[in-house]
Amino acid sequence: MTLTANQQYVLTALREASNPLSAYALLEQLRKPGFSAPAQVYRALDKLIEHGLAYRLETLNAYVACSHQSHCERNLMAFAICDTCGQADEFEVNDGDLRHWAKSHAFDLERTVIEIRGRCATCARHRNKGAMS
């Protein structure tokens, strides 16, 4: 897949971000390269998501780049989202149960994004240190 210039700018910004970014945060970062309207960002995001290069995290209303650049077109993704620092870690999930359920219910499973919320190891350590003081 060949990316347009706008899609490449958005994808690069997502890959360089330490945490998920909202569309408006992306717009602010990309004003210098010529982005002037939210629609430009949303169009690029829609295409990146369509091709499995980025994901929308519903609970944050934010976006992340696929961290598995060599095989991003999987249809079951999971993210562990830290409620303290906002870090979102992508990981693979065994999709056997979901596929079995979908098949037994004649449900055409296209794509699933699972989001789990809690604290990352770093934030949990800091919280525990504070509780011991």
Side-chain angles (χ1 to χ4, degrees), residues 25-36:
L26 281 163
L27 178 60
E28 286 305 311
Q29 281 190 6
L30 298 172
R31 285 201 188 275
K32 196 170 190 174
F35 283 71
S36 59

Side-chain angles (χ1 to χ4, degrees), residues 51-68:
H51 293 288
L53 297 172
Y55 300 98
R56 181 172 186 266
L57 301 179
E58 300 286 334
T59 60
L60 299 177
N61 193 24
Y63 301 86
V64 295
C66 176
S67 65
H68 301 94

Side-chain angles (χ1 to χ4, degrees), residues 73-98:
E73 295 188 27
R74 294 168 289 150
N75 60 6
L76 180 62
M77 298 308 310
F79 293 88
I81 302 168
C82 180
D83 288 328
T84 304
C85 70
Q87 178 178 326
D89 291 323
E90 179 181 345
F91 62 96
E92 293 185 47
V93 175
N94 180 342
D95 62 351
D97 289 339
L98 286 174

Side-chain angles (χ1 to χ4, degrees), residues 3-13 30 33-37 39-41 43-45 48:
L3 299 177
T4 66
N6 283 357
Q7 291 164 0
Q8 188 60 57
Y9 281 127
V10 170
L11 184 58
T12 299
L30 298 172
F35 283 71
S36 59
Q40 291 174 284
V41 174
R43 276 194 299 270
L45 286 167
L48 294 172

